[in-house]
Amino acid sequence: MAEKSTLSPTSQTSSPLPRRRPTQRVQYLEVNCTSSGKTRRFAESTDAGSAVELINMRLKTEEVGLPSALYIEAVKDGEEPIVFGPTSTLVSYGDGWKLQTVTQTDLFRTEEIRHRDVRRMPKQAFGLGVLYPERRESKPRVSKPINLLYIFKIVFAFIFIFVLGAIFTLFLDYLPELILFVK
């Protein structure tokens, strides 16, 4: 027959192995705002564009005069940063990876550190037109003087528009007769 255990309930809890707490999944992500130095918390499924808008809204109301955030990136020492686009969902990549905002001044600072020409991104990137300022041309822009060929092109364009309008008007005038002829 089976032997019964005579251990009391208190002696069973004092086992030599420590009890593990159930691991709780993180319900939020922390984004470090480089402008203000504050950490903002966002829900797991927040898209990066919304997070940037909320951070910028807080910067405008609470800390006036600080540069606005352009986008969010995940950074880790010795690794290439991972940039989140406006429709990307914020994700934590684990140990050592931190989410932080990037501002206009941060972009210039990294360009100075790298000492290399950074490829320009199109203005439509991230839905923001301020990622990279327009580079100044060394030559000043000079408008060309108006000459006879330019005036001739303008007059020709007006004449062409009026001729095209007259053709459409005649076509519409004779359209009923054309329909009767086809029947």
Side-chain angles (χ1 to χ4, degrees):
M1 294 201 150
E3 295 182 24
K4 292 185 179 178
S5 175
T6 58
L7 294 173
S8 68
T10 56
S11 65
Q12 287 178 350
T13 58
S14 62
S15 65
L17 297 174
R19 284 193 161 184
R20 293 184 184 179
R21 290 186 178 177
T23 56
Q24 293 181 352
R25 196 164 153 225
V26 176
Q27 300 297 322
Y28 59 87
L29 296 169
E30 292 183 342
V31 178
N32 183 24
C33 178
T34 55
S35 295
S36 65
K38 294 183 179 179
T39 302
R40 309 283 185 195
R41 290 183 177 175
F42 296 99
E44 270 186 335
S45 61
T46 304
D47 62 323
S50 299
V52 168
E53 287 178 19
L54 290 170
I55 289 171
N56 287 337
M57 190 169 44
R58 288 232 177 130
L59 285 174
K60 287 179 184 175
T61 58
E62 294 174 5
E63 294 95 12
V64 179
L66 294 177
S68 298
L70 299 176
Y71 58 89
I72 295 175
E73 67 181 4
V75 293
K76 182 178 181 181
D77 289 337
E79 296 285 336
E80 186 72 24
I82 300 171
V83 177
F84 290 94
T87 57
S88 301
T89 303
L90 292 178
V91 179
S92 175
Y93 289 105
D95 283 343
W97 287 95
K98 295 178 183 177
L99 298 178
Q100 70 180 18
T101 60
V102 176
T103 63
Q104 187 87 22
T105 55
D106 294 335
L107 288 176
F108 292 130
R109 199 173 305 135
T110 56
E111 280 187 23
E112 291 171 4
I113 292 171
R114 291 183 186 162
H115 298 294
R116 61 181 171 151
D117 190 19
V118 178
R119 287 186 359 193
R120 291 180 61 190
M121 299 174 79
K123 282 189 174 185
Q124 292 81 14
F126 303 117
L128 303 167
V130 293
L131 281 180
Y132 292 98
E134 294 295 323
R135 293 186 180 167
R136 304 278 183 220
E137 293 181 3
S138 59
K139 296 185 258 180
R141 292 187 179 193
V142 177
S143 63
K144 296 181 180 179
I146 298 175
N147 57 19
L148 286 176
L149 180 63
Y150 181 73
I151 294 172
F152 175 73
K153 288 180 182 179
I154 291 175
V155 170
F156 179 73
F158 276 115
I159 292 171
F160 182 73
I161 289 171
F162 286 119
V163 169
L164 194 60
I167 290 171
F168 283 132
T169 304
L170 287 173
F171 176 73
L172 289 175
D173 284 342
Y174 289 107
L175 184 63
E177 292 178 12
L178 180 64
I179 292 172
L180 288 175
F181 178 72
V182 172
K183 285 185 180 181

